[in-house]
């Protein structure tokens, strides 16, 4: 009877040890790509606007003589910005107006055009901010899941070590004890390796409207960006240096996100600048940072607009007394 109880006890410990190993294997060998309600929400393209920018009407050219006249009242920087927004013809109409009414009408056109561009600028910045925020939330969610995995691995390692120690004391046979100790040691080593380098969770995300695509490939055929903003992004004068345009400066900063590695560039180009794919937390963080950097560059154009609006408000009424107004 006592021998039977001892055999049963041994079988029980072996069963528990095998059960623990099985649970650990199942727990940490699951698919790394997760799909939850939160992931589905954050991977949805809810930042995409419902309208698309229409093709812009051709910009009316002005004569060289008119250009010289406008440069007298605008700095070269303001002149270039006005040209890209499409203000020059209206400014010229204002300067050559023969009466107050014509000047007021011309200035109203200037103001309206300015407000339209300012609104487009805010709209693009808002969309970039929305995308950056949702992708960053997704990265935070993945990192929390990965931290939870590390915690579970640590707990499993402790449980396995305890179970191995208990099981080895239940058997008198050295051969059995050796098997238990070796198995437990190998299991603890595997868990320790997984703790140092856990199998990271990933998410699948398809990007239908990739705002980084146009900047990276330097084309705006799908009209993601308004034509006026696209011209400014290609204008070297609005960069900190005249050697590169804003777009080229942005691309140069993006290179640091692993895109200078020849063996990985094709995969990262697909993830960052095309239709998406399977991302880990680090790649999502990089994608969010790229959106935020682009948003900062777009919002930086507001400084240029500030200079321009000051020049516009200073446009006087030549040869007209203010009491005539």
């Amino acid at each position: 009877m006592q021998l039977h109880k001892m055999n049963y006890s041994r079988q029980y410990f072996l069963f528990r040890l095998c059960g623990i190993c099985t649970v650990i294997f199942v727990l940490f060998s699951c698919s790394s790509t997760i799909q939850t309600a939160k992931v589905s929400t954050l991977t949805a393209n809810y930042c995409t606007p419902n309208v698309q920018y229409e093709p812009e009407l051709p910009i009316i050219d002005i004569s060289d003589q008119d250009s010289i006249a406008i440069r007298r009242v605008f700095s070269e920087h303001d002149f270039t910005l006005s040209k890209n927004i499409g203000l020059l013809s209206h400014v010229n109409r204002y300067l050559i107006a023969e009466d107050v009414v014509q000047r007021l009408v011309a200035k109203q056109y200037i103001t309206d055009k300015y407000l339209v561009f300012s609104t487009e600028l805010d709209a693009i910045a808002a969309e970039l901010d929305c995308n950056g925020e949702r992708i960053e939330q997704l990265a935070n969610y993945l990192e929390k899941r990965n931290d939870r995995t590390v915690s579970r691995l640590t707990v499993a390692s402790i449980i396995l070590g305890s179970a191995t120690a208990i099981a080895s004391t239940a058997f008198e046979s050295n051969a059995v004890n050796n098997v238990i100790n070796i198995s437990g040691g190998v299991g603890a080593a595997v868990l320790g390796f997984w703790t140092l380098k856990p199998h990271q969770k990933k998410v699948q995300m398809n990007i239908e409207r990739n705002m980084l695509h146009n900047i990276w490939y330097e084309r705006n055929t799908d009209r993601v960006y308004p034509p006026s903003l696209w011209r400014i992004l290609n204008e070297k004068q609005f960069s900190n240096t005249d050697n590169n345009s804003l777009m080229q400066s942005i691309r140069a900063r993006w290179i640091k996100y692993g895109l200078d590695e020849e063996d990985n560039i094709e995969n990262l180009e697909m993830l960052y600048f095309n239709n998406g794919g399977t991302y880990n937390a680090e790649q999502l963080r990089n994608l969010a940072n790229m959106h935020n950097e682009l948003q900062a560059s777009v919002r930086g154009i507001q400084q240029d607009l500030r200079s321009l609006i000051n020049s516009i408000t200073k446009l006087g009424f030549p040869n007209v007394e203010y009491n005539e107004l």
Side-chain angles (χ1 to χ4, degrees):
M1 185 69 178
Q2 186 176 1
L3 180 61
H4 177 72
K5 289 182 178 180
M6 186 176 297
N7 290 333
Y8 175 78
S9 177
R10 292 173 180 174
Q11 293 174 0
Y12 174 76
F13 279 120
L14 285 174
F15 176 77
R16 289 293 300 275
L17 186 60
C18 292
I20 291 172
C21 293
T22 302
V23 170
I24 292 173
F25 176 79
V26 172
L27 186 62
F28 300 108
S29 63
C30 297
S31 173
S32 61
T33 303
I34 60 175
Q35 185 61 257
T36 63
K38 188 167 187 176
V39 169
S40 298
T41 300
L42 293 175
T43 53
N45 293 289
Y46 57 78
C47 299
T48 302
N50 296 323
V51 295
Q52 188 179 32
Y53 292 103
E54 296 295 330
E56 188 181 50
L57 295 176
I59 296 178
I60 301 175
D61 294 328
I62 59 174
S63 66
D64 293 338
Q65 185 176 357
D66 292 333
S67 177
I68 293 173
I70 295 175
R71 280 186 165 93
R72 291 173 183 167
V73 295
F74 280 175
S75 66
E76 189 63 29
H77 187 275
D78 290 341
F79 179 87
T80 305
L81 184 58
S82 299
K83 178 184 68 175
N84 286 289
I85 296 178
L87 292 181
L88 289 184
S89 61
H90 301 299
V91 174
N92 182 61
R93 191 177 302 167
Y94 174 88
L95 294 176
I96 65 176
E98 297 179 353
D99 56 52
V100 175
V101 174
Q102 290 181 356
R103 290 192 182 97
L104 287 175
V105 171
K107 196 164 188 178
Q108 185 63 51
Y109 274 111
I110 294 171
T111 303
D112 291 346
K113 196 79 173 177
Y114 172 91
L115 289 175
V116 168
F117 176 74
S118 181
T119 302
E120 290 175 344
L121 204 64
D122 290 338
I124 290 295
E127 186 178 354
L128 288 168
D129 182 53
C130 178
N131 280 316
E133 181 66 26
R134 74 179 178 90
I135 294 171
E136 190 169 353
Q137 288 186 34
L138 193 57
N140 291 336
Y141 177 72
L142 273 190
E143 287 178 349
K144 289 181 181 179
R145 291 289 297 261
N146 290 330
D147 291 342
R148 192 184 310 169
T149 299
V150 172
S151 299
R152 289 176 177 175
L153 285 169
T154 303
V155 172
S157 180
I158 296 172
I159 294 175
L160 180 60
S162 301
T164 301
I166 295 173
S168 62
T169 61
F171 299 93
E172 297 177 357
S173 173
N174 290 331
V176 175
N177 286 335
N178 289 337
V179 171
I180 293 174
N181 289 328
I182 291 173
S183 301
V186 171
V190 171
L191 288 174
F193 174 78
W194 279 349
T195 303
L196 293 175
K197 192 175 181 180
H199 194 47
Q200 294 185 350
K201 297 294 184 182
K202 299 180 179 181
V203 293
Q204 176 72 29
M205 181 171 64
N206 297 322
I207 306 177
E208 298 176 4
R209 176 183 164 96
N210 194 329
M211 302 186 72
L212 308 185
H213 174 94
N214 303 57
I215 305 298
W216 182 255
Y217 295 106
E218 298 188 41
R219 56 175 180 259
N220 192 40
T221 53
D222 53 356
R223 298 198 300 274
V224 169
Y225 296 89
S228 52
L229 175 57
W230 187 252
R231 287 192 294 270
I232 291 172
L233 290 173
N234 281 278
E235 180 64 59
K236 291 184 178 181
Q237 189 170 341
F238 296 104
S239 181
N240 291 331
T241 64
D242 292 335
N243 297 326
N244 297 309
S245 65
L246 277 174
M247 187 179 306
Q248 291 169 336
S249 298
I250 294 168
R251 290 180 80 257
R253 292 196 296 271
W254 287 350
I255 295 293
K256 67 182 181 180
Y257 293 107
L259 293 167
D260 53 348
E261 301 174 5
E262 294 183 3
D263 57 339
N264 202 29
I265 186 170
E266 291 185 3
N267 180 50
L268 291 180
E269 277 190 346
M270 178 60 67
L271 290 178
Y272 295 153
F273 309 120
N274 287 286
N275 300 324
T278 303
Y279 298 82
N280 58 33
E282 182 182 359
Q283 291 166 343
L284 287 172
R285 189 77 65 190
N286 290 340
L287 188 63
N289 289 337
M290 289 181 183
H291 279 86
N292 293 334
E293 285 184 4
L294 181 54
Q295 178 198 169
S297 296
V298 170
R299 290 196 182 278
I301 300 174
Q302 292 284 0
Q303 295 292 339
D304 302 291
L305 280 181
R306 173 182 168 275
S307 173
L308 177 60
I309 195 63
N310 284 337
S311 298
I312 292 174
T313 55
K314 291 177 182 178
L315 287 176
F317 294 84
N319 303 322
V320 177
E321 297 293 336
Y322 281 97
N323 57 16
E324 295 182 30
L325 301 179

